[in-house]
Amino acid sequence: MWYKISKEEVLMRLEVSLDTGLSEEEARKRLEQYGKNTIPEKPPETFIGILLRQFKEFLTIVLLIATFISFVLGETKDAIAILIIVLINAFLGAFQEFKAEQTLASLKSYITPKVKVIRDGKIKEINIEDLVTGDIVLVEEGEKIPADIRWIETSNLQVDESILTGESVAVTKNADFIADNDMTLGDQLNMGFKGTTVVSGKGKGVVVGTGLNTALGNIARMLSEIEEEKTPLQKELEKLGKQLTYVILAIIFLVFIIGVIQGRNAFEMFFTSVSLAVAAIPEGLPTVITILLALGVQEMARNKAIVRRLSAVEALGATSVICTDKTGTLTENKMDLVSALLPDGKIIKKEDFEKEKDYIKELLFTAVLASDVKKKDDGSFIGDPLDVAIYNHYSKLYPLNYYEKVDEIPFNSQRKRVSVIYRLDNLYFLAIKGAGEEILRRSKFYYLNSKEIELTEEKKKEFLEAQDELAKQGLRVLAVAKRTFKDLIDKDNWEKDLVFLGFLGFMDPLREGIKEAIEECKRAGIRPIIVTGDYLLTAKKIAQDLGMDVENGLYYTGEDINKVGLDNISWDNVVIFSRVLPDHKMDIVKKLKERGEIVAMTGDGVNDAPALKMADIGVSMGLRGTDVARGASDLVLLDDSFATIVKAVKEGRRIFDNIRKVTYYLLSCNLSEIFVVSTSIFLGLPLPLTPLELLWINLITDGFPALALGIESYEKDIMMRKPRRIEEGIINKELWRKIIIDGIFMGISSLILFNIGLAKSVNFARTMAFSGLVFSQIFQASSISLRGREKIFGELFSNKYLSLAIIFSIIIQLLVLYTPWGIGFFNMGVLDLKDLVLVILLSLLPIYKLIGEKIYEKIFKRTVNL
């Protein structure tokens, strides 16, 4: 708690002199004792490591076992086909995740290569990593602070700490400040923190923490302690894979036992059982899902968002809560002068500055003289954000002249004002700005209609009430005053008998399109919560401007969290968390996840990184965001627009809808194959499908329609639905019921064709059953696509890719049925035109079922959804 003790005591405890600093020998000893001023980097994961990790997926392991058994049984064609599918899936997944784990390494971008220190009584430049506790450090404007520092001397020192605290306004540092109690980082005015940037002035301080023993290092430690969780999609696929495997093993075992009891060949029954396993496992599902996610990633990139993990796209679509940082996410992370309040009570909005410039000239002129900025080569200004905003507006209205500065009294937290005196013609002109109460306390007059009028106590009260009204609007308010002297007087008497000129109101403006994005999120059942390091009043104004329910909402500060704990918070009504620390943000996300929410967290600073990594979906800003935030996130917004998140939500929902359609399609088709084979065995009939035919149906006929189903367009109500429940999974109970019914329907049509064909021969019967199953599965794809359409026949070809896939699959199947190669390879009988028509008519059962459902909807006004 270095900020609680005097600078003299700090130097004494660290055994160092301010003038001479440490000796080189002492610095060397401390470096050996405490280590280098670096943050340990996590070695990046190799491509081979990521690739091997892909083979730990449960479904993949089952498929590899099936491949091995097929090789052992000499079914090389089957084994190679399955293995190719597995390898494609693994390489695609590994390629997408290759550079995902670089979070800690990116922290090094916040370290200055060299730093000025005093050692052995001399100013020296040393490597940043060689800095030790007790070193006396010198920093100036534009430099990053190299370690945690207790300031000993400050000269107009202002530091941008937004990457740690989230506050956009630079903090004025004061070496003489001593805290009476515990304080957050943003309130420790006598401290400097590693990675933050000096905006103006200069300072001298003593190092009190290096490496991991810094505020930045503490964030790095939190990041390293957070375990990578699987996304909802990964969890659901793993759950589905296990469910399928248990069911499949039971069916296979039952089929094998019954077949042997019936006196069938044991080897033939074992191979049939393995073939059934291959047929039952939707081996195309992981590949199709990977391809769908990859296509989603490409679409997101076109919409200015980069996805760092494939499954993050789908997970974002399931988000129920967005914890959004305020600064730089909802706002532009810059202060803008939005209004001026004159002593006559007239409020001039910034859009009216041009036509009212005669009225505000004196106010802005004095504010400019009380500000300190530097002009860059491109004409823009650099300095304190408030000063830059004043200069920007003044330079648009009036010629920007530079006057001779004589002296100044800098701003500090006790004075709450800055005074600068200039030589203007034959007079000395004092320009002063700061907190309203401080300026008005020292004012004797106010400026109205180019006259100085005596300021009464009643008038002062009016002005302070006006200031409060501006503050309630979420504005940061500065009062401006002036005074002229014929002769230069003592500094102690400068700030007396001032002439009050008015107030300036500043705001960190909202980003364009944010309000509309928030509204769409709410329509989609997604609850936004502002989680910020800024003040509550400012956050409430932002929330109100965004249309959030400020009247009925609840607000908590970091101090409230410390007092009552997160378990005692009314989570259903919370709108804002303000003045929170990085560990607060992480705990908030953790608690929401424990409540069953799927949480997206947006942010751009180092302080956001732990919460970004903890969240189901971390969303960082690409333009203003830090490398650390981007490294910890799943989604990077290239345009820093919150509106892009809405597009991501919509895309994620579309992808999940399509994953569900593909899964429904594959499982219902595979179930139809199991039903046909197992029912025939139970009834003592010959095998209706050979293992090769089963594999053909799964890998060829299913593949193209399944992929085409995966690129269905958005359904009309996609952003009007509530987020799905996290426990629901890809396949819910209702969908399982429909999968079973559809599978049995398709299986029955195939069995009918098989029994009809048995009148001629077993080979002919198998050809009928095989063809029936292929065509019914093709029509099943069309049926699933059309279920979400209002008009079946009017939108029959709305998915052109599915139409092409169906045509392609039909052509391939006809080539198998009517070419010498196909007939010979599959050992099939020949179907004449009458047989083919019969096959197609019975295979249309999925379409008949769909038409029946649509008629039911029309009559009973009840929708039959997937």
Side-chain angles (χ1 to χ4, degrees):
M1 298 296 185
W2 299 101
Y3 60 91
K4 290 185 179 181
I5 59 178
S6 68
K7 53 191 178 184
E8 291 80 13
E9 188 175 349
V10 172
L11 292 170
M12 184 179 69
R13 289 191 186 184
L14 294 173
E15 299 178 356
V16 63
S17 165
L18 182 63
D19 296 325
T20 60
L22 297 174
S23 66
E24 288 291 353
E25 178 62 25
E26 178 62 23
R28 185 186 60 78
K29 289 179 181 177
R30 295 189 183 191
L31 189 64
E32 290 177 357
Q33 182 177 358
Y34 299 109
K36 290 185 176 291
N37 179 35
T38 57
I39 295 171
E41 298 179 9
K42 183 180 177 181
E45 195 171 3
T46 64
F47 179 80
I48 296 299
I50 297 173
L51 181 62
L52 292 175
R53 181 156 44 83
Q54 307 302 309
F55 292 98
K56 294 180 181 179
E57 297 294 332
F58 191 82
L59 204 56
T60 304
I61 292 171
V62 173
L63 289 172
L64 288 174
I65 292 171
T67 304
F68 175 74
I69 293 173
S70 296
F71 269 121
V72 170
L73 295 175
E75 297 298 324
T76 308
K77 286 187 293 185
D78 298 359
I80 291 176
I82 302 170
L83 189 60
I84 288 173
I85 291 291
V86 172
L87 291 176
I88 289 173
N89 180 54
F91 274 97
L92 280 173
F95 180 76
Q96 287 293 331
E97 295 186 26
F98 181 45
K99 293 184 179 180
E101 285 301 320
Q102 296 179 347
T103 302
L104 293 180
S106 64
L107 284 168
K108 65 184 178 183
S109 65
Y110 287 93
I111 300 173
T112 315
K114 296 280 186 180
V115 60
K116 294 188 186 74
V117 297
I118 298 176
R119 285 188 181 175
D120 292 322
K122 298 177 183 179
I123 297 178
K124 300 180 179 180
E125 274 199 351
I126 65 170
N127 290 331
I128 182 76
E129 61 182 20
D130 294 330
L131 205 61
V132 297
T133 302
D135 261 324
I136 304 298
V137 174
L138 307 171
V139 293
E140 297 179 352
E141 183 179 304
E143 295 180 347
K144 280 192 170 74
I145 296 175
D148 280 5
I149 292 170
R150 171 61 160 90
W151 297 115
I152 306 299
E153 295 176 4
T154 54
S155 176
N156 195 29
L157 180 64
Q158 293 185 306
V159 181
D160 177 4
E161 297 182 340
S162 61
I163 64 167
L164 286 175
T165 65
E167 295 184 36
S168 55
V169 178
V171 180
T172 300
K173 295 298 181 178
N174 177 14
D176 296 322
F177 173 80
I178 301 175
D180 296 327
N181 47 40
D182 291 346
M183 286 184 167
T184 62
L185 296 180
D187 297 322
Q188 296 173 22
L189 303 181
N190 53 12
M191 294 291 295
F193 302 104
K194 184 172 186 166
T196 59
T197 305
V198 177
V199 173
S200 64
K202 56 186 178 181
K204 181 189 288 186
V206 58
V207 175
V208 296
T210 61
L212 286 174
N213 297 315
T214 60
L216 189 65
N218 187 49
I219 290 174
R221 187 182 292 108
M222 285 192 286
L223 284 173
S224 65
E225 290 172 356
I226 299 173
E227 292 185 6
E228 286 282 358
E229 286 193 20
K230 293 182 178 180
T231 66
L233 179 62
Q234 289 172 320
K235 293 174 183 177
E236 288 162 14
L237 282 175
E238 184 173 334
K239 177 183 175 183
L240 178 61
K242 288 181 179 178
Q243 289 174 340
L244 288 175
T245 302
Y246 298 145
V247 173
I248 290 162
L249 290 176
I251 292 173
I252 290 170
F253 180 75
L254 192 60
V255 167
F256 178 77
I257 294 298
I258 291 175
V260 171
I261 291 173
Q262 289 177 343
R264 297 175 189 257
N265 183 279
F267 178 81
E268 181 187 24
M269 285 311 305
F270 180 74
F271 188 67
T272 300
S273 299
V274 172
S275 300
L276 266 182
V278 174
I281 296 173
E283 63 273 355
L285 184 60
T287 302
V288 171
I289 288 177
T290 301
I291 293 171
L292 298 189
L293 292 173
L295 292 173
V297 167
Q298 292 176 6
E299 182 64 27
M300 289 299 301
R302 284 191 286 270
N303 286 312
K304 304 295 183 182
I306 299 297
V307 178
R308 300 180 69 249
R309 285 193 299 160
L310 280 179
S311 50
V313 180
E314 176 277 331
L316 186 59
T319 299
S320 57
V321 173
I322 296 180
C323 292
T324 174
D325 184 35
K326 180 187 73 66
T327 306
T329 307
L330 301 176
T331 66
E332 295 183 1
N333 195 22
K334 67 178 184 182
M335 299 306 292
D336 188 23
L337 176 57
V338 297
S339 62
L341 176 61
L342 303 181
D344 62 356
K346 185 176 185 179
I347 296 177
I348 302 175
K349 299 293 185 182
K350 70 173 183 178
E351 52 267 25
D352 297 324
F353 280 4
E354 178 68 36
K355 63 181 181 181
E356 303 283 359
K357 64 181 184 179
D358 291 338
Y359 290 94
I360 61 172
K361 182 175 183 180
E362 192 74 11
L363 174 62
L364 285 179
F365 173 72
T366 305
V368 163
L369 293 183
S371 302
D372 183 22
V373 301
K374 288 184 179 180
K375 195 170 185 179
K376 298 198 294 186
D377 293 338
D378 61 3
S380 62
F381 302 103
I382 185 172
D384 179 88
L386 298 179
D387 291 354
V388 169
I390 292 169
Y391 261 79
N392 281 335
H393 282 280
Y394 184 87
S395 63
K396 293 174 184 176
L397 301 174
Y398 316 103
L400 196 59
N401 299 315
Y402 293 92
Y403 301 94
E404 179 190 349
K405 183 189 288 188
V406 177
D407 204 352
E408 70 176 306
I409 305 175
F411 180 93
N412 64 47
S413 58
Q414 280 76 38
R415 286 172 35 78
K416 297 182 180 178
R417 61 192 184 280
V418 57
S419 296
V420 187
I421 198 162
Y422 292 84
R423 180 83 178 186
L424 299 181
D425 300 325
N426 297 320
L427 295 173
Y428 290 96
F429 184 91
L430 178 71
I432 179 170
K433 65 176 170 51
E437 58 273 16
E438 295 297 326
I439 301 299
L440 286 168
R441 186 181 297 124
R442 291 163 177 78
S443 296
K444 187 176 182 181
F445 308 95
Y446 65 95
Y447 195 71
L448 186 62
N449 298 327
S450 301
K451 295 180 181 178
E452 295 180 5
I453 302 173
E454 188 172 351
L455 183 61
T456 63
E457 289 301 318
E458 184 179 349
K459 200 67 178 175
K460 283 184 181 180
K461 185 179 179 183
E462 285 182 22
F463 289 148
L464 288 173
E465 288 174 354
Q467 177 186 241
D468 289 342
E469 286 301 313
L470 290 176
K472 287 178 182 177
Q473 296 173 22
L475 301 182
R476 183 177 173 86
V477 184
L478 286 182
V480 181
K482 68 175 184 177
R483 186 183 178 189
T484 56
F485 314 99
K486 287 185 178 179
D487 300 305
L488 191 61
I489 63 175
D490 186 79
K491 271 188 179 183
D492 293 338
N493 296 310
W494 282 9
E495 299 169 336
K496 294 178 181 178
D497 300 335
L498 301 175
V499 181
F500 174 67
L501 299 175
F503 295 109
L504 295 175
F506 302 83
M507 177 175 280
D508 188 358
L510 289 176
R511 288 189 176 279
E512 187 176 349
I514 296 299
K515 185 173 182 179
E516 294 79 5
I518 291 287
E519 285 299 319
E520 189 160 7
C521 280
K522 290 194 289 186
R523 285 196 298 272
I526 300 169
R527 188 158 63 102
I529 299 175
I530 295 176
V531 183
T532 178
D534 213 337
Y535 291 96
L536 178 59
L537 195 62
T538 306
K540 284 179 72 174
K541 173 60 179 172
I542 293 293
Q544 189 174 27
D545 290 345
L546 290 172
M548 297 172 70
D549 190 3
V550 176
E551 294 296 325
N552 300 312
L554 297 177
Y555 327 103
Y556 299 95
T557 64
E559 188 176 341
D560 294 332
I561 293 173
N562 292 336
K563 285 181 180 178
V564 304
L566 290 173
D567 290 328
N568 299 311
I569 281 176
S570 178
W571 287 97
D572 293 334
N573 299 315
V574 66
V575 175
I576 297 167
F577 289 100
S578 66
R579 302 297 285 168
V580 293
L581 298 174
D583 53 343
H584 287 145
K585 292 185 178 186
M586 191 168 66
D587 290 341
I588 288 167
V589 171
K590 185 178 180 182
K591 184 60 66 176
L592 283 167
K593 289 174 68 175
E594 288 175 358
R595 288 172 53 83
E597 306 283 4
I598 295 183
V599 184
M601 170 73 193
T602 72
D604 60 356
V606 173
N607 60 310
D608 299 320
L612 288 173
K613 194 171 183 180
M614 172 67 73
D616 293 299
I617 298 295
V619 185
S620 66
M621 305 296 131
L623 294 177
R624 297 177 185 269
T626 62
D627 288 342
V628 182
R630 287 193 290 269
S633 65
D634 304 292
L635 190 72
V636 181
L637 307 181
L638 295 181
D639 57 0
D640 284 14
S641 172
F642 188 89
T644 305
I645 299 175
V646 180
K647 296 176 184 176
V649 169
K650 188 176 181 181
E651 183 66 17
R653 289 190 174 191
R654 183 187 72 86
I655 287 173
F656 185 80
D657 276 0
N658 291 344
I659 287 174
R660 178 168 273 180
K661 288 175 184 178
V662 170
T663 307
Y664 179 11
Y665 171 64
L666 291 176
L667 292 183
S668 62
C669 291
N670 292 1
L671 180 62
S672 68
E673 296 160 31
I674 294 175
F675 179 80
V676 169
V677 175
S678 57
T679 302
S680 297
I681 291 174
F682 295 155
L683 295 176
L685 299 173
L687 285 176
L689 297 167
T690 66
L692 193 57
E693 287 170 343
L694 285 170
L695 196 62
W696 172 264
I697 295 171
N698 265 28
L699 300 185
I700 305 300
T701 314
D702 285 1
F704 295 109
L707 187 57
L709 267 180
I711 47 181
E712 289 267 293
S713 59
Y714 302 104
E715 293 187 2
K716 290 182 180 179
D717 67 339
I718 197 164
M719 291 301 284
M720 302 298 291
R721 312 171 193 160
K722 291 183 178 180
R724 72 179 191 280
R725 296 189 306 274
I726 192 169
E727 69 274 8
E728 185 178 308
I730 296 176
I731 306 295
N732 54 31
K733 289 181 180 179
E734 178 64 16
L735 204 53
W736 270 120
R737 184 182 68 81
K738 293 179 178 180
I739 287 171
I740 292 170
I741 291 172
D742 284 5
I744 291 173
F745 261 71
M746 288 185 285
I748 287 173
S749 68
S750 182
L751 280 174
I752 291 172
L753 290 168
F754 181 67
N755 277 280
I756 292 172
L758 281 176
K760 290 187 178 180
S761 68
V762 172
N763 271 0
F764 182 79
R766 283 175 177 164
T767 304
M768 293 279 281
F770 174 48
S771 302
L773 209 49
V774 168
F775 287 123
S776 64
Q777 291 184 7
I778 290 172
F779 297 135
Q780 171 74 345
S782 182
S783 169
I784 291 172
S785 174
L786 293 172
R787 286 188 183 189
R789 313 290 180 185
E790 292 183 11
K791 299 176 181 178
I792 296 178
F793 298 106
E795 299 183 71
L796 191 60
F797 303 105
S798 56
N799 184 342
K800 62 180 181 181
Y801 298 105
L802 180 60
S803 300
L804 291 172
I806 288 173
I807 292 170
F808 177 77
S809 297
I810 290 174
I811 291 172
I812 290 291
Q813 183 61 22
L814 291 175
L815 288 174
V816 168
L817 290 173
Y818 294 106
T819 61
W821 174 84
I823 294 170
F825 188 78
F826 288 96
N827 191 27
M828 291 190 299
V830 179
L831 304 181
D832 60 25
L833 183 59
K834 185 179 67 173
D835 298 326
L836 184 61
V837 169
L838 177 62
V839 166
I840 292 175
L841 286 174
L842 280 172
S843 301
L844 282 167
L845 268 178
I847 302 297
Y848 304 151
K849 181 173 176 288
L850 173 64
I851 293 172
E853 288 174 354
K854 291 296 181 181
I855 293 172
Y856 175 84
E857 288 178 23
K858 292 289 184 182
I859 295 174
F860 296 102
K861 305 298 182 184
R862 293 179 62 183
T863 302
V864 181
N865 294 317
L866 267 185

